[in-house]
Amino acid sequence: MDDDELHRRIGELVAEEHRLERAHVGKALSEAEQQRLHELAVQLDRYWDLLRQRDARRRAGLDPDGAQERSADVVEGYRQ
């Protein structure tokens, strides 16, 4: 997946996240909706991580296509 595809997918996930949040302003989300928001957040973290890897490889003179998407467990375990 190249940078453009990653940005497109990130945009789609963010749009879905915003639609879900806007549809429930002032109302509680159902359990399924809360789960979907969590899934969206995790996948966004994974895509952002992959973009950062690609950028780091590019800056190091390496092929950005060598970057690999990391598992949710790895990405969600990062300290902020």
Side-chain angles (χ1 to χ4, degrees):
M1 188 174 345
D2 66 16
D3 291 1
D4 289 339
E5 177 68 11
L6 280 167
H7 282 288
R8 185 187 67 73
R9 289 187 181 186
I10 287 169
E12 290 171 354
L13 293 175
V14 167
E16 182 180 350
E17 184 179 55
H18 289 173
R19 279 192 304 274
L20 188 56
E21 289 170 342
R22 278 193 305 267
H24 290 85
V25 171
K27 298 182 268 182
L29 296 171
S30 70
E31 193 171 313
E33 291 164 329
Q34 290 175 13
Q35 178 61 34
R36 181 60 184 153
L37 271 180
H38 175 73
E39 291 168 2
L40 290 168
V42 170
Q43 190 59 51
L44 281 166
D45 288 346
R46 293 178 74 198
Y47 284 159
W48 282 117
D49 174 69
L50 184 54
L51 271 175
R52 285 188 294 273
Q53 284 183 62
R54 290 179 58 80
D55 184 53
R57 290 183 64 84
R58 195 176 289 113
R59 283 184 280 122
L62 301 172
D63 181 5
D65 291 336
Q68 295 182 338
E69 188 173 346
R70 295 181 178 134
S71 72
D73 291 338
V74 170
V75 173
E76 293 304 296
Y78 293 154
R79 293 175 63 152
Q80 297 289 326

